[in-house]
Coordinates of all heavy atoms in Angstrom, one line a residue:
R1217 N 42.5 126.7 192.9 CA 42.1 128.0 192.2 C 42.0 127.8 190.8 O 41.1 128.3 190.1 CB 43.1 129.1 192.6 CG 43.0 129.5 194.1 CD 43.9 130.8 194.4 NE 43.9 131.0 195.8 CZ 44.8 130.7 196.7 NH1 45.8 130.0 196.3 NH2 44.7 130.9 198.0
F1238 N 40.5 136.6 193.0 CA 40.6 136.2 194.6 C 41.1 137.4 195.2 O 42.2 138.0 194.9 CB 41.6 135.1 194.6 CG 41.2 133.7 194.0 CD1 41.5 133.3 192.8 CD2 40.3 133.0 194.9 CE1 41.0 132.1 192.3 CE2 39.8 131.8 194.3 CZ 40.2 131.4 193.0
S1242 N 47.0 141.2 202.5 CA 48.4 141.5 202.1 C 49.2 141.9 203.2 O 48.6 142.7 204.1 CB 48.2 142.7 201.1 OG 49.6 143.1 200.9
C1262 N 45.2 142.4 186.0 CA 43.8 142.5 185.3 C 43.2 143.9 185.7 O 42.8 144.2 186.8 CB 43.0 141.5 186.0 SG 41.3 141.4 185.3
V1283 N 45.5 150.8 198.5 CA 46.7 150.3 197.8 C 46.5 148.7 197.7 O 46.1 148.1 198.7 CB 48.0 150.6 198.4 CG1 49.1 149.8 197.7 CG2 48.3 152.0 198.3
D1319 N 60.3 141.4 178.9 CA 59.3 141.5 180.0 C 58.0 141.0 179.6 O 57.1 140.9 180.4 CB 59.3 143.0 180.5 CG 60.5 143.4 181.1 OD1 61.0 142.6 181.9 OD2 60.7 144.7 181.2
H1352 N 51.1 142.4 176.1 CA 50.2 142.9 175.1 C 50.8 143.1 173.8 O 52.0 143.7 173.7 CB 49.6 144.3 175.5 CG 48.5 143.9 176.7 ND1 47.3 143.6 176.5 CD2 48.8 144.0 178.0 CE1 46.7 143.4 177.7 NE2 47.6 143.7 178.6
D1365 N 39.0 138.2 159.8 CA 39.5 137.2 160.8 C 40.9 137.2 161.0 O 41.5 136.4 161.7 CB 39.0 135.8 160.3 CG 39.8 135.4 158.9 OD1 40.6 136.2 158.5 OD2 39.6 134.3 158.5
K1395 N 40.2 162.4 167.6 CA 41.2 162.8 168.7 C 40.9 162.4 170.0 O 39.8 162.5 170.6 CB 41.4 164.2 168.7 CG 42.4 164.9 169.7 CD 43.8 164.7 169.0 CE 44.8 165.6 169.8 NZ 46.2 165.3 169.4
E1431 N 47.2 162.5 173.4 CA 47.9 163.3 174.3 C 48.1 162.7 175.7 O 47.1 162.2 176.3 CB 47.1 164.6 174.7 CG 46.7 165.5 173.3 CD 47.9 166.2 172.8 OE1 48.9 166.4 173.5 OE2 47.8 166.5 171.6
G1443 N 31.5 148.4 176.4 CA 31.1 149.7 177.0 C 32.2 150.7 176.7 O 32.8 150.8 175.6
H1450 N 50.4 158.9 182.0 CA 51.4 159.7 182.7 C 52.8 159.4 182.4 O 53.1 158.1 182.4 CB 51.1 159.8 184.1 CG 49.7 160.0 184.7 ND1 49.2 161.2 184.6 CD2 48.8 159.1 185.1 CE1 47.9 161.2 185.0 NE2 47.6 160.0 185.4
D1453 N 59.5 161.6 184.6 CA 60.8 161.2 184.9 C 61.2 159.8 184.2 O 61.8 158.9 184.9 CB 61.1 161.1 186.5 CG 60.8 162.4 187.2 OD1 61.0 163.4 186.6 OD2 60.5 162.4 188.4
G1454 N 60.8 159.7 183.0 CA 61.1 158.5 182.2 C 60.3 157.3 182.6 O 60.4 156.2 182.1
L1460 N 43.5 153.9 184.6 CA 42.3 153.4 183.9 C 41.1 153.6 184.8 O 41.0 153.3 186.0 CB 42.6 151.8 184.0 CG 41.3 150.9 183.4 CD1 41.0 151.2 182.0 CD2 41.6 149.4 183.6
L1508 N 29.4 154.7 168.5 CA 30.3 154.0 167.6 C 29.6 153.8 166.1 O 30.1 153.8 165.2 CB 30.4 152.6 168.2 CG 31.3 152.5 169.5 CD1 31.4 151.0 169.9 CD2 32.6 153.0 169.0

Side-chain angles (χ1 to χ4, degrees):
R1217 291 187 183 99
F1238 292 98
S1242 167
C1262 178
V1283 173
D1319 288 331
H1352 289 273
D1365 62 0
K1395 180 81 169 173
E1431 309 283 343
H1450 304 289
D1453 300 334
L1460 171 64
L1508 292 176

